[in-house]
Amino acid sequence: MADFIAWVLVAVIAAYACGGGTDYGAGFWDLLAGGPERGKGPRALIDHAMAPVWEVNNVWLIFVLVVMWTGFPTMFQAVFEAMWLPLALAAVGLVLRGAGFALRKPTHRLARRRVYGAAFAVSSLLTPFFLGAVLGGIASGRVEVGTIASADAWANPTSVLTGLLAVAAAAFLGAVFLCSDARRFGADDLVGYFRLRALLAFAGIVVLALIALPVTHDDARYVWDGLTGGPGLLLVLLAAVCGLATVVLLVRRSHAWTRHTAAASVALTVCAWGFAQRPYVLPTTLTVADAAGAPATLHWLVIVTGIAIVLVGPALVLLYRLDTLGRLEALTDADTQAAGAAGDDA
């Protein structure tokens, strides 16, 4: 039963990496969109594309935390004791990001919109980096039961590269999804804009992955061995195929499946990491069995998970489907025009 809960945790992390990662990626491109005039079109598209689902995507993060502290309390305590600073910074980023996104659109004063927009955009960059750094610290074996918090736990080579890869993957997902959003919303000038950025983000992922090869070989050997053999290697290869398929589809301007292949590449990478760490939740000191909670707790956690899948799953699938079809909110011409409203100059 503990193994089943562990795979549920990996699956939920993969779901958050895809859903939340897409939102972080949109914020990343919001940060690089330029000034008020130049960036008005891309930012309007980002606002409309994210509005129906950005709060829902955070449900996956809540599920991750619930499964961790309920199913693996020893792991939860060790991670949060050793990594409290990057996790606190990520949490602050989540709050500022949500507040900035929610308050930016209805605000008409230019100065305030800039402040809210900056909070949203900068937090969209920092939050995935710190979350990735935490995963890198865990993968490199720097977190054990009783580990005292220190900068080395999350500011090491593996953590930094994992954080940068998380940012690059989010940027890739965000650009791919926004490219499809621009197409279905009729913002034709933004289709090529985000296609180029998706290709650049993928190139960044490739460069960072090549840099990470020798680093993880020396700094995270157990996970390296898991990723270069067995099911871990197979999933890595499948993730690479999905990533390359996304690039080919973007180059050919065929957007029907780009969202699916891009999300699959990220989800398969997370699953490969799960296979690489097994049977440990904290390599190489704490196994899944040792970290698991009481059998009765795991039993009820399985029941609650099943109930959540039955009750919440169909609603989430419907929401994502409607969003993909563009039926939740239409993008108007006024939102994509470069000219600002008169109140923006106040």
Side-chain angles (χ1 to χ4, degrees):
M1 190 173 295
D3 288 337
F4 173 77
I5 295 298
W7 284 114
V8 169
L9 180 59
V10 172
V12 178
I13 292 174
Y16 183 64
C18 294
T22 301
D23 286 348
Y24 292 133
F28 177 86
W29 297 119
D30 187 292
L31 179 66
L32 301 182
E37 293 300 322
R38 179 186 173 190
K40 185 174 181 61
R43 291 190 176 104
L45 177 64
I46 290 169
D47 283 344
H48 280 263
M50 286 183 57
V53 296
W54 73 276
E55 292 174 296
V56 176
N57 286 329
N58 288 322
V59 170
W60 299 114
L61 179 59
I62 296 172
F63 205 170
V64 170
L65 295 175
V66 170
V67 173
M68 277 187 64
W69 81 55
T70 306
F72 305 101
T74 305
M75 171 196 178
F76 183 87
Q77 180 179 357
V79 170
F80 274 75
E81 284 183 349
M83 300 286 194
W84 70 266
L85 180 55
L87 288 171
L89 292 173
V92 171
L94 283 170
V95 174
L96 293 177
R97 183 175 179 276
F101 181 75
L103 295 174
R104 178 176 68 175
K105 189 173 182 179
T107 302
H108 294 292
R109 294 184 64 88
L110 181 58
R112 292 182 181 178
R113 292 189 67 180
R114 285 178 172 175
V115 171
Y116 295 142
F120 164 67
V122 174
S123 297
S124 297
L125 173 65
L126 296 180
T127 300
F129 174 81
F130 286 124
L131 292 176
V134 170
L135 290 179
I138 293 172
S140 61
R142 287 179 167 83
V143 180
E144 301 178 7
V145 176
T147 298
I148 300 175
S150 66
D152 179 65
W154 60 277
N156 55 80
T158 300
S159 289
V160 171
L161 279 171
T162 306
L164 292 176
L165 279 168
V167 173
F172 176 61
L173 281 175
V176 169
F177 275 62
L178 287 168
C179 186
S180 296
D181 289 330
R183 182 171 174 266
R184 77 168 190 264
F185 284 139
D188 296 332
D189 57 323
L190 295 178
V191 175
Y193 177 93
F194 283 111
R195 181 191 297 115
L196 174 61
R197 281 150 181 77
L199 297 175
L200 291 174
F202 185 79
I205 292 174
V206 173
V207 171
L208 289 170
L210 292 175
I211 296 174
L213 290 177
V215 173
T216 54
H217 178 271
D218 297 331
D219 196 46
R221 188 55 186 264
Y222 186 85
V223 172
W224 162 270
D225 291 339
L227 291 174
T228 55
L233 177 60
L234 176 61
L235 291 176
V236 168
L237 294 175
L238 290 175
V241 170
C242 289
L244 291 173
T246 305
V247 171
V248 171
L249 291 172
L250 287 171
V251 172
R252 296 182 62 181
R253 291 172 170 77
S254 177
H255 302 282
W257 290 94
T258 53
R259 290 185 175 210
H260 301 85
T261 54
S265 66
V266 174
L268 287 169
T269 301
V270 174
C271 292
W273 161 72
F275 271 103
Q277 281 202 178
R278 65 175 186 167
Y280 296 100
V281 289
L282 297 178
T284 53
T285 59
L286 186 65
T287 64
V288 171
D290 292 337
T297 302
L298 296 180
H299 177 76
W300 279 106
L301 186 57
V302 170
I303 294 176
V304 171
T305 300
I307 294 173
I309 291 174
V310 172
L311 296 181
V312 182
L316 288 176
V317 171
L318 177 61
L319 176 65
Y320 287 135
R321 179 60 177 168
L322 291 175
D323 180 57
T324 300
L325 295 175
R327 295 179 180 176
L328 296 180
E329 187 175 3
L331 187 65
T332 65
D333 293 337
D335 292 319
T336 55
Q337 289 176 352
D344 292 344
D345 296 327

